[in-house]
């Protein structure tokens, strides 16, 4: 007697890419704004970025319903923390909270690939990268989502720094300035848009530094090259 | 019986023991999906999560204490998701745990073990033994046996009885031993480790053996790589002895001699 398999899956993948880069006194977090399902685009204007705490921002790709639920859980926990401790959560503390929150659903995971960015207690940029069930690591830069296999090698080439595991320890902070890092992020999304169908439309870039939080948008290619050509031909008639 | 000490029950966070509206607060538990076919569902989620099985870790006891070493690569299928994963976890100042299998599983349960060990210290006014710590972890993992977590870890430390080394896995197995290697690169590491091992080694000789064993494993196993870290646990506690990029170790062990070109 063969086992019956479910006709329905609770998960879907809405695509998209996220990137975060940590600097000596800033952190850049970015994500595209396209939300898709299969070959359809649901919307071109969806924010995948959530401002969890004063100095802590999360970008998530994957299944956006799970992402929204996760954002709500973390916001609620942060509010409780503020009531109990009379202060904002630090980015490393939020990083561990996110890890535990993800692991609590180890046997029914949040289909959410997250990147957490912010400033640590010394004001230095920090980026934490996660898998779907909560394993995490502090890194200098990271990308997650459908375009990550395209974006990561490029970031490795530009930003690769000595591993924190080396002994004697070597400093691993990105030498880039804030403006250079933002420029790099724009370049990276433009390239990913060319070759990943799930990445495009706009990129939302959030910059965290001592002065506070700053948000900007940049337009990306909305269609692929073949469609552009077809549209051009149709316009002629 | 599942171990639920790692879970907080959410109602208790808000009401602090006073039940809101007289409701019975639910006991803490991991949420499970409402599925007729739990095994199939678990199989699918394993595919989604793709635990990082690619790894090489090893540990051995010798005259001076315990030597622990690991690589630092994490792979998701064929994609290298990180080259700088910390696979040697510091449970407390005199105990180390190694990570192989699911990264999240290992990280979470080692953190939980650290908490349990500290609570034991506070309750009993003495440090927990390596035997005790490994038993705590093994019992937790046994209770989640068959649910799809993947953990292959070694607990190494120094307690009142001297050096201790246990292998613990997510099938519920727990073995005491003098020499272990865990992960996809372990056969290669065993080859080097077993042929070079002597009980009467100095700390330098033992660390060199450990480093070589990891290097050779990363050379032949595609799923292992990154940085070879070597830790030592002795009577005064744990100490990181070295962290070397295996690419550079290759040229250290196989120096390039310039040869004349005809």
């Amino acid at each position: 007697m063969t086992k019956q398999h479910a006709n329905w899956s609770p998960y879907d993948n809405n695509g998209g890419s996220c990137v975060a880069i940590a600097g000596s006194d800033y952190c850049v977090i970015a994500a595209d704004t396209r939300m898709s399902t299969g070959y359809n685009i649901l919307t071109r204007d969806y924010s995948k970025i959530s401002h969890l705490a004063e100095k802590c921002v999360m970008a998530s790709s994957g299944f956006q319903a799970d992402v929204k639920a996760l954002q709500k859980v973390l916001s609620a926990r942060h509010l409780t923390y503020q009531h109990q401790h009379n202060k904002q959560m630090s980015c490393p503390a939020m990083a561990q909270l996110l890890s535990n929150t993800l692991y609590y659903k180890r046997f029914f995971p949040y289909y959410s690939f997250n990147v957490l960015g912010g400033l640590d207690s010394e004001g230095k940029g920090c980026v934490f990268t996660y898998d779907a069930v909560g394993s995490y690591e502090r890194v200098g830069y990271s990308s997650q989502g459908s375009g990550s296999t395209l974006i990561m090698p490029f970031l490795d080439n530009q930003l690769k720094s000595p591993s924190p595991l080396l002994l004697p320890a070597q400093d691993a902070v990105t030498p880039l300035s804030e403006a250079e890092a933002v420029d790099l992020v724009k370049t990276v999304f433009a390239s990913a848009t060319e070759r990943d169908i799930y990445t495009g439309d706009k990129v939302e870039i959030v910059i965290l530094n001592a002065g506070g939080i700053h948000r900007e948008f940049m337009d990306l290619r909305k269609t692929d090259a073949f469609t552009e050509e077809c549209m051009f031909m149709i316009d002629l008639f | 019986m599942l171990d639920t000490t790692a879970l907080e029950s959410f109602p208790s966070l808000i009401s602090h023991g006073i039940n809101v509206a007289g409701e019975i607060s639910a006991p803490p538990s991991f949420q499970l999906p409402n599925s007729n076919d739990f095994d199939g569902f678990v199989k699918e989620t394993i595919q989604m999560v793709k635990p990082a099985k690619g790894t090489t870790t090893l540990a051995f006891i010798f005259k001076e204490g315990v030597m622990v070493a690991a690589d630092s690569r994490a792979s998701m299928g064929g994609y290298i998701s990180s080259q700088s994963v910390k696979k040697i976890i510091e449970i407390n100042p005199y105990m180390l745990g190694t990570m192989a299998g699911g990264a999240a599983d290992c990280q979470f349960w080692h953190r939980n073990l650290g908490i349990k060990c500290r609570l034991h210290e506070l309750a009993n006014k003495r440090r927990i033994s390596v035997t005790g710590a490994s038993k705590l972890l093994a019992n937790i993992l046994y209770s989640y046996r068959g649910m799809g977590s993947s953990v292959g870890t070694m607990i190494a430390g120094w307690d009142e009885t001297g050096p201790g080394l246990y292998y613990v896995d997510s099938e519920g197995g727990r073995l005491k031993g003098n020499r272990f290697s865990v992960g996809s690169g372990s056969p290669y590491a065993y080859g080097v480790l077993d042929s070079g091992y002597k009980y009467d080694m100095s700390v330098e000789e033992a660390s060199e053996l450990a480093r070589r064993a990891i290097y050779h494993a990363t050379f032949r196993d595609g799923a292992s790589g990154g940085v070879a870290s070597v830790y030592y646990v002795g009577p005064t506690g744990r100490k990181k002895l070295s962290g070397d990029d295996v690419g550079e170790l290759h040229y250290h062990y196989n120096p390039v001699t310039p040869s004349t070109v005809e």
Side-chain angles (χ1 to χ4, degrees), chain A residues 75-96:
Chain A
S75 298
R77 286 301 304 271
H78 184 228
L79 195 59
T80 308
Y81 181 94
Q82 283 179 82
H83 288 145
Q84 289 177 345
H85 298 95
N86 199 25
K87 64 174 184 175
Q88 295 267 327
M89 258 178 119
S90 68
C91 197
M94 185 59 87
Q96 185 151 309

Side-chain angles (χ1 to χ4, degrees), chain A residues 18-40:
Chain A
C18 321
V19 166
I21 299 176
S24 52
D25 62 349
Y26 66 86
C27 189
V28 180
I29 301 100
D32 72 320
T33 61
R34 176 178 284 181
M35 182 167 161
S36 8
T37 173
Y39 284 125
N40 300 314

